[in-house]
Amino acid sequence: MSVSHITTHILDTGAGRPAAGVAVVLYQNDGGTWRHLADSTTDADGRAKDLGPEQLEPGHYKLNFATGDYYAGLQTATFFPEVDLVFEVTGPEHYHVPLLLSPFAYSTYRGS
């Protein structure tokens, strides 16, 4: 299987481990409407490598992470029931969009 144009990795920084089993959805902004492209779930290493095609057109995209369901499964309260990360694809290079997560905070960056 080839790796998709966009991948993600979730680290549960509060627990000090990868966040396995988190549902992730990729959307594309199509004239102001978010169009669903792909679904995935993070593996045991907290990675989702199958989020859509090998190549995407330039434009705005969004990753939606079901963080509330993840923390509910751990019986842990969280302030963020979901996290949306919106970013821009400008070319053919690979885009890795990690999420650093804890029950009451998150951050992200452009990975490699």
Side-chain angles (χ1 to χ4, degrees), residues 75-97:
Q75 298 180 340
T76 300
T78 182
F79 184 67
F80 300 103
E82 62 183 313
V83 172
D84 283 333
L85 301 180
V86 179
F87 55 95
E88 184 176 13
V89 169
T90 58
E93 67 270 16
H94 176 80
Y95 289 81
H96 185 64
V97 186

Side-chain angles (χ1 to χ4, degrees), residues 4-91:
S4 61
H5 195 172
I6 296 170
T7 57
T8 191
H9 184 200
I10 307 173
L11 295 174
D12 183 338
T13 58
R17 64 176 176 251
V22 179
V24 183
V25 181
L26 174 65
Y27 296 93
Q28 179 182 27
N29 191 305
D30 185 9
T33 301
W34 290 107
R35 184 171 52 95
H36 177 270
L37 292 181
D39 297 285
S40 187
T41 302
T42 57
D43 62 17
D45 194 32
R47 296 180 185 275
K49 300 176 186 177
D50 58 348
L51 278 166
E54 291 181 49
Q55 194 63 46
L56 295 169
E57 294 295 319
H60 292 164
Y61 293 84
K62 173 171 65 174
L63 288 174
N64 174 269
F65 300 88
T67 53
D69 292 344
Y70 168 72
Y71 280 115
L74 297 175
Q75 298 180 340
T76 300
T78 182
F79 184 67
F80 300 103
E82 62 183 313
V83 172
D84 283 333
L85 301 180
V86 179
F87 55 95
E88 184 176 13
V89 169
T90 58

